[in-house]
C-alpha cells in the first residue's frame, strides 16, 4: 500500500514504480496534479496485482479515462 496523495508525482515516477514494485496492491495518488491519464493507464497495465487505485481530485481524470480503466479491467477480469 503506497500513498503519494498531494505530491508532485509524475508519469515518469509511476513508470519507475511499475518496474520496482510489481507486487503493489494499493496506490493512492489523489491530488497529484502532474499525472496524466496516459501515464496512469500505462501504469495500470503494468501492475497485475493492483486492486485499489485512488485518483480522486486529479484535474485531468475525466469520464473517458474512467471508461478506459473499466474496459481494461473488464479485459483482464480484475476488479479495482
Amino acid at each position: 500500500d503506497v500513498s503519494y496523495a498531494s505530491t508532485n508525482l509524475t508519469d515518469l515516477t509511476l513508470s519507475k514504480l511499475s518496474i520496482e514494485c510489481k507486487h503493489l496492491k494499493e496506490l493512492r495518488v489523489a491530488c497529484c496534479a502532474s499525472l496524466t491519464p496516459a501515464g496512469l493507464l500505462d501504469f495500470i497495465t503494468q501492475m497485475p496485482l493492483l486492486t485499489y487505485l485512488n485518483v480522486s481530485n486529479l484535474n485531468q481524470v475525466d469520464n473517458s479515462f474512467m471508461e478506459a480503466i473499466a474496459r481494461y479491467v473488464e479485459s483482464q477480469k480484475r476488479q479495482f
Side-chain angles (χ1 to χ4, degrees):
D1 180 15
V2 176
S3 178
Y4 287 103
S6 299
T7 66
N8 290 326
L9 186 70
T10 66
D11 292 344
L12 179 60
T13 308
L14 271 187
S15 178
K16 291 178 181 180
L17 190 63
S18 71
I19 294 166
E20 299 296 327
C21 300
K22 285 290 186 190
H23 298 288
L24 187 67
K25 294 181 181 179
E26 296 185 13
L27 180 64
R28 291 166 179 79
V29 292
C31 303
C32 293
S34 298
L35 294 177
T36 67
L40 286 164
L41 284 172
D42 186 53
F43 174 78
I44 291 166
T45 63
Q46 302 301 314
M47 302 304 294
L49 301 178
L50 190 68
T51 59
Y52 177 86
L53 177 65
N54 181 334
V55 294
S56 60
N57 298 315
L58 297 184
N59 294 333
Q60 296 186 49
V61 170
D62 58 13
N63 286 342
S64 62
F65 171 76
M66 298 307 287
E67 290 168 1
I69 288 178
R71 283 190 300 274
Y72 176 74
V73 169
E74 181 61 27
S75 74
Q76 299 299 307
K77 299 297 183 197
R78 291 190 345 211
Q79 293 184 339
F80 282 94

